[in-house]
Amino acid sequence: DMPYKPTAASLAHVLDAEGLRREEVVYVGTTDVDFRTAAGVPVLFCNAQWDRREARYGLTFETPGALQR
């Protein structure tokens, strides 16, 4: 069974299943729940402002293209 957000175990489960280290991952999200999930591991949280402006934390990006840079 996969744990649910916002527990750190949920993202840790995905990282383990994919063979990734937290230093190799960025979490792109829009909500405070997304932020708490990323912070629990921790991994870098990128706030996707182009979708909605709900999360108050993280590095903000206005467009998907801005995230690529």
Side-chain angles (χ1 to χ4, degrees):
D1 290 313
M2 185 172 156
Y4 292 97
K5 297 188 307 184
T7 65
S10 64
L11 186 52
H13 176 84
V14 172
L15 296 179
D16 187 54
E18 296 299 322
L20 297 170
R21 296 185 331 251
R22 66 180 189 87
E23 298 85 8
E24 300 174 303
V25 173
V26 296
Y27 191 116
V28 179
T30 59
T31 67
D32 288 339
V33 170
D34 291 333
F35 172 75
R36 288 195 313 267
T37 303
V41 171
V43 298
L44 179 64
F45 178 69
C46 296
N47 188 339
Q49 294 282 300
W50 65 85
D51 183 45
R52 63 182 122 152
R53 298 174 186 270
E54 187 176 319
R56 297 168 286 175
Y57 308 101
L59 300 172
T60 59
F61 295 88
E62 298 293 329
T63 66
L67 184 62
Q68 291 177 317
R69 293 182 193 154

